Amino acid sequence: QVQLVESGGGLVQVGGSLRLSCAASGRFRSINSMAWYRQAPGKQRELVAVITRLTSTNYADSVKGRFTISRDNTKNLVYLQMNSLKPEDTAVYYCNAGIVRNYLGSEYDYWGQGTQVTVSS
């Protein structure tokens, strides 16, 4: 019923910037928190940043001061602006959203397919 699609990944040099986007589409009532996760080869998926429906934010310590998460509730979009990129930021980045699908009010988690970010020296 709901689809999340990420875009904006790619190859960038150390110190460069990328902006990831995630669009939610389908039939649903509302979106609660949205988040970005990442997973590097051989490592577990980790939370990068989260934003609530009222735009409160939290970040992993490793990205504080460099990454900014934002959202557009009208357009059902969430963004991750990544600046001062480091090689250790290389990973597949996944969009996550808690979505209320109908009037019952239950929240379901949805995931995007992931977008590759590679930071080279």
Side-chain angles (χ1 to χ4, degrees), residues 37-70:
Y37 288 74
R38 67 186 181 187
Q39 187 168 23
K43 302 186 69 176
Q44 293 193 82
R45 189 172 300 185
E46 65 172 343
L47 178 65
V48 176
V50 61
I51 184 167
T52 70
R53 193 171 190 273
L54 298 180
T55 69
S56 295
T57 59
N58 281 294
Y59 299 90
D61 288 341
S62 59
V63 306
K64 284 182 178 178
R66 300 188 298 119
F67 290 10
T68 302
I69 188 171
S70 60

Side-chain angles (χ1 to χ4, degrees), residues 11-25:
L11 176 65
V12 65
Q13 291 187 338
V14 171
S17 297
L18 284 174
R19 190 192 192 200
L20 306 183
S21 299
C22 174
S25 62

Side-chain angles (χ1 to χ4, degrees), residues 12-16 84-87 119-121:
V12 65
Q13 291 187 338
V14 171
S84 302
L85 284 163
K86 305 174 181 178
V119 185
S120 67
S121 300

Side-chain angles (χ1 to χ4, degrees), residues 26-41:
R27 185 173 180 268
F28 54 85
R29 184 176 179 85
S30 62
I31 303 174
N32 292 330
S33 293
M34 303 186 79
W36 288 95
Y37 288 74
R38 67 186 181 187
Q39 187 168 23

